[in-house]
Structures are given as structure tokens and as C-alpha cells.
């Protein structure tokens, strides 16, 4: 499979500055994380009703501005502020829960939309990062930076995200993002000795829909303007934050097809300073 190794940090900065001059805008490099605000409290947040299959597994909180169904043993808490389910390691918050849940959901949705806009506004890191392989990115390796596709992205075979634990990756897709069946997004450490890329530093900003095929695996936070669907045995290590209330075959529900969704752990605290010399 072909491998695409893009520019080092210095060359990327130079090209981003050149692109900004050509476009008449300041260069905004992918050095600062995309802030999620209250949306970061959820592994799955949807502006819709949410329908799950009984075999879905979600690690983290779920938020929905509509009703939820399909989760086994969906049980309201005594406070009426959230629900629990044996398939969700976390809490399920809906708009019909008691205060302060509705207000928190409203703020989380607002923060989700702001995060989407922030990610969409980032300047690409290099001219070569625009419309890579016209969206057919099977087999490619991506280094840190901002990438943009003006149409769709189709992933027919495994891809690699390569860098260190502190590197940021933003993938802007104007159209749809589709992972075929049995595709894996792999995280691989570079040679800096600072660990492999982290899901919390990877953002997919998608203006259309997202489809994750059966048994496929995606890494990162997925900010979706329209709708998504997970096929059977698919998985995401990250967050799925969806603005719309549509999906295949049903205009009022988001459907999970037996996926596994796990929100990434928070960043590790910095190491303690060494004790003073005697």
C-alpha cells in the first residue's frame, strides 16, 4: 500500500505561512487543541433521539436531546437527573431528565457546535494537505497537522496516524467520511521517544455523514454536522458528537449497530519536579 509521509514541523510552518499569504489570512497552525467545553463530558452526544441495539457498549457518558431507547435495563436514577444501563459505563442524560440536566445538555450542544466551527476554521498546515489522494486515502500515513478534503473521504483499507503523544491532527471533510468494513486507524509513535498519538488529540470534522463499517475501528473525536451510523462490531476510541437529527431510514433517530465506543482518558498530570539538592 502507498505511504504518504508529509513535511516536518519547520517545513509545515513555512508552507502554512505561504498558504496564508496566498489566501490573505493569518496562518493558524494546529498547535492548540480544539476545546470541547461541556461536550467533552460525553462519549456520545446527539441532537436527536437515540436508538441503540442491546449489544452496544459505551464507556463514558451519553447525552441526547431526544428520547433514548434500545439500551437494556435502562433505569432512571433516584434523582431523576440521569439514567443508567448495563451497556453504558457512565450515565445517560436526556432532555426529559430533572434539572440541572436540560441546561447542561443545552450548554454541551452549544459547545459541540463551537468545537465544530473551531476545527473547521483551522488553516491547513501545507498545500500538500489539501484533497490528499482526492479522498481515497487507503493505506496512507499521516503526520501531525491540519488536512482538508473539499468533497468526501473513503477509507478502503487501514491508515496510520504517526506522531507523538502531544501532536495534534485535524481532518476536515466537507462531505462524508466512510470507513469500509474491516478497516483500522492505527496510532504509531514516531522516533522522538514521546509516545504514540493520543485519541484526544485527533479531530475529524465532517460536514456530511459518517459511516463506520462492520468491524472497523476509528480513533479520535468525531464532530459531525449531519448523521452517523455504526455497523455491527465497529468501534471508536474517542468521542462522537453529532449535531443533526437524521440517519439512514429514520429522520428522528441516531442508530447504533452494536458498536463499542470508548471515550479517551484525560491527559496524564505532568511529572513531579525532583526534590531540591541537599
Amino acid at each position: 500500500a502507498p505511504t504518504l509521509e508529509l513535511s516536518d514541523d519547520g517545513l509545515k510552518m513555512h508552507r502554512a505561512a505561504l498558504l496564508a499569504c496566498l489566501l490573505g489570512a493569518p496562518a493558524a497552525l494546529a498547535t492548540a487543541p480544539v476545546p470541547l467545553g461541556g461536550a467533552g463530558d460525553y462519549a456520545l452526544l446527539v441532537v436527536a433521539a437515540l436508538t441503540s441495539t442491546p449489544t452496544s457498549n459505551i464507556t463514558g457518558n451519553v447525552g441526547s436531546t431526544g428520547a433514548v431507547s434500545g439500551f437494556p435495563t435502562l433505569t432512571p436514577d433516584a434523582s431523576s437527573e440521569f439514567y443508567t444501563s448495563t451497556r453504558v459505563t457512565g450515565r445517560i442524560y436526556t432532555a426529559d431528565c430533572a434539572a440541572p440536566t436540560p441546561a447542561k445538555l443545552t450548554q454541551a450542544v452549544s459547545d459541540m457546535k463551537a468545537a465544530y466551527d473551531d476545527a473547521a476554521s483551522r488553516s491547513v498546515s501545507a498545500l500538500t494537505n489539501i484533497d490528499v489522494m482526492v479522498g481515497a486515502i487507503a493505506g496512507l500515513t499521516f503526520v501531525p497537522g491540519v488536512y482538508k478534503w473539499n468533497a468526501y473521504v473513503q477509507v478502503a483499507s487501514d491508515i496510520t496516524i504517526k506522531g507523538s503523544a502531544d501532536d495534534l491532527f485535524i481532518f476536515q471533510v466537507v462531505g462524508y467520511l466512510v470507513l469500509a468494513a474491516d478497516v483500522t486507524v492505527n496510532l504509531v509513535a514516531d522516533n522522538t521517544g514521546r509516545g504514540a498519538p493520543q485519541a484526544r488529540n485527533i479531530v475529524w470534522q465532517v460536514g456530511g455523514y459518517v459511516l463506520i463499517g462492520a468491524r472497523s475501528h476509528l480513533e479520535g473525536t468525531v464532530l459531525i454536522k449531519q448523521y452517523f451510523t455504526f455497523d455491527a462490531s465497529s468501534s471508536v476510541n474517542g468521542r462522537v458528537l453529532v449535531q443533526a437529527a437524521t440517519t439512514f431510514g429514520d429522520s428522528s433517530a441516531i442508530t447504533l449497530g452494536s458498536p463499542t465506543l470508548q471515550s479517551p482518558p484525560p491527559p496524564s498530570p505532568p511529572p513531579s519536579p525532583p526534590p531540591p539538592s541537599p
Side-chain angles (χ1 to χ4, degrees), residues 19-32:
L19 178 63
C21 290
L22 293 173
L23 298 179
L29 298 178
T31 55

Side-chain angles (χ1 to χ4, degrees), residues 14 41-42 49 51 57 60 75 85 93 103 126 140 160-161 166 174 231 237 240 242 255 257:
H14 173 77
D41 295 335
Y42 301 88
T51 301
N57 293 287
T75 305
S85 168
Y93 296 92
L140 299 187
T160 298
I161 295 176
D166 298 324
V174 174
D231 284 346
N237 178 35
V240 177
V242 192
T255 301

